[in-house]
Amino acid sequence: MTTTPDERLKELECRAHDEMARIEALGADWPALGDEDRDDFHSIVICGAGFSGLSIAFALKRRGIRSVHLIDQSEEGREGSWVTCARMQTLRSPKYLSGPDLGIPSLTLRSWYEALNGTEAWEALDKISRQDWMNYLVWFRRTVGIDVENGTMLSSINPAGGELALTLTKGDGSRTITCRHLVMATGIDGCGGPRIPAMVKTLPKSTWTHSNEPIPIDFLEGRDVAILGGGTSSFDWAVAALETGARKVTMFARSADLPRTEVLAWTNFPGFLGHFADLPDLERWRFAHLYFNFKVPPTQEQYDRACRHPGFTMQLGCGVGELSMDGGKIRLTTANDIFHADHLLLGTGYEINFALRPELASLTEAAALWKDRFQPPQGEENTMLADHPYLGPGFELMPRHAEAGWVSRIHMFNAGALASLGPISNGVTGLKYGVPRIVGALVKALFIEDSNRYLEALAAYDEPHFDPGIDDDVTTSREVLA
């Protein structure tokens, strides 16, 4: 390549804009109603500017929705988990899956990667690194022109007449804005938070770290480390700790065998991803129950990297029954033996619980959960599933009682939607089904809510599209007939 990377990306950007123009990718502006564009009012606010949030914002832009405000608590280039708390080497999803490009070839990951590294490099690539994925998302955001208010946290959500009042916190200050619909594109912990076993909570916080915490781990160098859990995040922890210089890493898992099957590979077909939401409650319940029985396996690369280290040991079928402090070390009591460690790393996953997120506190009594709307047959109970929010077809929360109808203006495009809509909002695999669904629901709601105002706008519409250009001296056919 004789051109520079910046020059090749600029050329790719121009090609992407040309492709969008050729297929009318950006929808026509809606008739102005006069109050859509104020700093303190927006038709739609999207909380979270990671992969999902950017994709939804671009899709709304393609449908001509201009009054969209996107916020993220992180600084630009650190949205999502990719370069903060994620510790795997690469994404787990195949490189060829469609992303936020929404069908525009020059906006795809492949086009971006080939512009930087060439076609041969793409062909040789197995999976994209998480750092490259983050760089791609930053380029995508700038290329399609999506503005994000970074460093901004959503602190509270409250009803405001027929709208929503959102408290936003930025730095030391806060302000309140109003919106008609709110999209929570907040990822794997968007409806709750990390699952912390009760016995872990008895330990000093300085002695343990959950996989969602964005911290450097170089303090583990030369130390003995214990990991709870045998899934993918646990292996990510193990590799990160070993490669930063941990002396010994021991993984404790209750199961006697490691998970081997990636359930997303089975679900990735149009029938399931496109129409899971159309199934009756009982069938959705049963599919979701089976789905969660599949634990996420480590990638082959992460497993091999961990096992190559002489300091790595797996204690499978060896759940930890008790944790305590023993001098300055953590004492782990199992059915097999007693172990000691300097630090404990948790790969214990996440739980659905609005109370764990301050901005969702107002929803704990207002939004319906599956246990409020559905009673499974005897023998098919599942407490974890029952605690998921019961969502409508556009990812909207459903009210638990009549006075809470306002919650239907909140759309949960995160891991909490899985029980209601399937795995179409929690990763690359299902995004191409989830984004059109939520955007279609939002566009429909905005039009129907204002249909009377659009009717008035049509009645007043008088833009000329034809000028007969008749001179006063020219006799018209009507005059001739007269």
Side-chain angles (χ1 to χ4, degrees), residues 103-119:
I104 308 299
S106 291
L107 292 177
T108 60
L109 171 67
R110 176 174 181 170
S111 294
W112 174 85
Y113 192 88
E114 288 183 345
L116 286 177
N117 305 293
T119 303

Side-chain angles (χ1 to χ4, degrees), residues 72-79 141 150-151:
D72 196 282
Q73 64 183 357
S74 302
E75 61 187 84
E76 182 177 353
R78 296 181 66 81
E79 300 90 349
R141 162 181 164 178
N150 285 96

